[in-house]
């Protein structure tokens, strides 16, 4: 059912004169709709580069959701209370669901889920680098909710207005759930800060010290160094620039940190009266590119876990396929028998 856009891909392959004219008209109509802030549906004509960019972005996003289940999955058996354990389980299941909505959205562009997963498992596809950092103590789970999901929300709310409608629709539901993720993380940290021991408060501060800078990197390179940004803004895929989103995130979280009673590990963090924003220090882009390039603390471990989960689940996929074939055969047999009965009745 997701192959409906294939016909438009085939049409783009033509190179004769009438087709060139037709494509120019289609391109003009596409540009007009984008300029007017409109939406593109799966069956609509779209430039190949727009399609490719979306497949890359949506599949990277889907991969990030499912790889993002791993660092937190580490803590399900060690959550401090039954309440925290059930919240964490629900959140991890949500992330799995986000991955599924997003793979389905990518499939509307004419790519198969198997191809996308192959690219992830072979290490060809990227996912958010933040998940290549380790979760060393329970406070890390709270900080992931507060800061990592918080940064994800900043990035994702504008995507609810992305010009590709199936992606935008998926993001509306994803964002509602992300907001719960962020609040459960903050709530877990607040409990440790307000009712915890000195050791627990120190654990929260330690987790923030390790996660703060990688979270600022989640918004991607500075606008001037971001290769895809300008074109994505032009296409209405991206609505707000990396640097603006990062600034919004800093402004929102510094205040939340004050309520929590923690500090950010940045001596240059200070309120700028003139700009009406928080100034912050230099991001270590060498670290960012090193982790993106595969050399973070957990890159190999995460990928190995994903591949193992995929291999271990092979019997489930095989059983589901066999079950579906059996159901289809049973339905076909029942229909044939019914057809036979009708013929006999008519003959009598
Ligand atoms: Fe998510
Ligand atoms: Fe989340």
């Amino acid at each position: 059912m997701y192959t409906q856009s294939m016909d438009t891909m085939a049409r783009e392959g033509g190179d004769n004169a009438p087709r060139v004219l037709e494509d120019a008209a289609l391109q003009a109509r596409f540009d007009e709709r984008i300029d007017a802030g409109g939406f593109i549906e799966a069956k609509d004509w779209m430039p190949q580069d727009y399609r490719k960019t979306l497949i890359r972005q949506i599949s990277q996003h889907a991969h990030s959701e499912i790889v993002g289940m791993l660092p937190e999955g580490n803590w399900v058996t060690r959550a401090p209370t039954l309440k925290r354990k059930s919240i964490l389980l629900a959140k991890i299941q949500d992330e799995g669901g986000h991955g599924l909505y997003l793979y389905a959205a990518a499939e509307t562009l004419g790519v198969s889920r198997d191809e996308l997963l192959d690219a992830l498992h072979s290490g060809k596809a990227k996912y958010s680098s933040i998940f290549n950092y380790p979760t060393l103590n329970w406070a890390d789970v709270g900080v992931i909710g507060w800061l990592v999901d918080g940064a994800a929300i900043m990035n994702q709310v504008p995507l609810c207005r992305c010009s590709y409608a199936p992606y935008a629709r998926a993001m509306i539901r994803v964002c509602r759930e992300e907001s719960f993720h962020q609040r459960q993380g903050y709530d877990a940290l607040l409990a440790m800060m307000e009712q915890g021991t000195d050791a627990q408060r120190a654990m929260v501060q330690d987790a923030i010290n390790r996660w703060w800078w990688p979270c600022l990197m989640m918004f991607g390179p500075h606008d001037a160094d971001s290769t895809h940004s300008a074109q994505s803004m032009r296409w209405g895929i991206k609505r707000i620039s990396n640097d603006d989103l990062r600034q919004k995130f800093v402004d929102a979280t510094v205040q939340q940190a004050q309520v929590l009673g923690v500090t950010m590990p940045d001596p240059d963090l200070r309120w700028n009266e003139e700009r009406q924003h928080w100034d912050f220090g230099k991001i270590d882009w060498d670290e960012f590119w090193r982790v993106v390039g595969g050399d973070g603390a957990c890159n190999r471990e995460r990928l190995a876990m994903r591949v193992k989960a995929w291999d271990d689940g092979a019997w489930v996929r095989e059983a589901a396929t066999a079950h579906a074939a059996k159901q289809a055969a049973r339905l076909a047999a029942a229909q044939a028998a019914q057809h036979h009965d009708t013929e006999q009745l008519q003959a009598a």
Side-chain angles (χ1 to χ4, degrees), residues 65 72 91 94-95 98 149 152 177-178 181-182:
E65 298 285 355
E72 288 175 299
K91 177 188 190 289
D94 282 355
E95 307 298 10
H98 297 172
D149 287 275
E177 292 176 347
E178 293 300 355
H181 298 170
Q182 199 235 4

Side-chain angles (χ1 to χ4, degrees), residues 62-71 120 127 131-132 302 306:
H63 300 329
S64 304
E65 298 285 355
I66 62 168
V67 175
M69 298 166 78
L70 299 174
L120 173 64
Y127 54 85
F131 301 119
N132 292 317
R302 299 286 185 246
R306 250 319 297 169

Side-chain angles (χ1 to χ4, degrees), residues 7 36 56 66 70 89 150 154 160 166 182 198 205 212-213 217 283 285-286 322 332:
D7 54 351
R56 192 191 63 242
I66 62 168
L70 299 174
L89 271 173
M154 277 300 169
C160 298
Q182 199 235 4
D198 283 348
Q205 185 61 59
W212 174 248
W213 290 105
M217 297 174 198
I283 293 171
W285 293 109
D286 289 343

Side-chain angles (χ1 to χ4, degrees), residues 17-235:
R19 192 144 293 173
V20 170
L21 276 178
E22 190 197 349
D23 281 358
L26 289 166
Q27 175 79 51
R29 204 182 318 147
F30 172 87
D31 290 343
E32 208 175 292
R33 200 183 294 173
I34 293 285
D35 291 344
F39 290 97
I40 305 298
E41 291 288 347
K43 260 209 120 16
D44 294 339
W45 183 93
M46 63 188 85
Q48 280 292 29
D49 285 347
Y50 177 81
R51 187 186 296 277
K52 266 194 233 153
T53 299
L54 281 166
I55 291 175
R56 192 191 63 242
Q57 180 171 337
I58 301 174
S59 61
Q60 279 181 6
H61 192 165
H63 300 329
S64 304
E65 298 285 355
I66 62 168
V67 175
M69 298 166 78
L70 299 174
E72 288 175 299
N74 204 20
W75 283 89
V76 172
T77 54
R78 289 173 287 165
T81 63
L82 185 58
K83 178 182 139 186
R84 295 290 173 200
K85 190 196 285 273
S86 32
I87 293 172
L88 183 58
L89 271 173
K91 177 188 190 289
I92 295 170
Q93 284 176 344
D94 282 355
E95 307 298 10
H98 297 172
L100 297 185
Y101 311 148
L102 291 163
Y103 284 123
E107 282 175 307
T108 65
L109 292 155
V111 65
S112 79
R113 193 172 303 203
D114 283 346
E115 282 173 72
L116 298 178
L117 287 170
D118 268 359
L120 173 64
H121 297 155
S122 66
K124 244 186 357 194
K126 297 265 178 262
Y127 54 85
S128 178
S129 270
I130 194 77
F131 301 119
N132 292 317
Y133 288 83
T135 42
L136 304 179
N137 66 47
W138 170 251
D140 285 18
V141 173
V143 170
I144 288 181
W146 173 39
L147 295 180
V148 176
D149 287 275
I153 294 170
M154 277 300 169
N155 262 324
Q156 293 176 4
V157 165
L159 287 173
C160 298
R161 292 183 294 116
C162 158
S163 63
Y164 188 56
Y167 191 23
R169 283 192 289 267
M171 290 320 298
I172 292 171
R173 180 158 175 188
V174 169
C175 283
R176 286 199 185 131
E177 292 176 347
E178 293 300 355
S179 135
F180 150 77
H181 298 170
Q182 199 235 4
R183 279 180 282 174
Q184 66 80 34
Y186 194 76
D187 180 70
L189 297 177
L190 205 56
M192 290 176 85
M193 292 303 293
E194 285 183 348
Q195 300 149 34
T197 61
D198 283 348
Q200 285 170 319
R201 280 187 280 273
M203 226 188 242
V204 174
Q205 185 61 59
D206 168 61
I208 292 165
N209 292 348
R210 284 179 289 108
W211 287 91
W212 174 248
W213 290 105
C215 282
L216 294 192
M217 297 174 198
M218 280 178 73
F219 297 92
H222 289 305
D223 298 335
D225 306 322
S226 177
T227 21
H228 303 297
S229 266
Q231 182 59 69
S232 285
M233 296 278 274
R234 166 73 190 82
W235 276 329

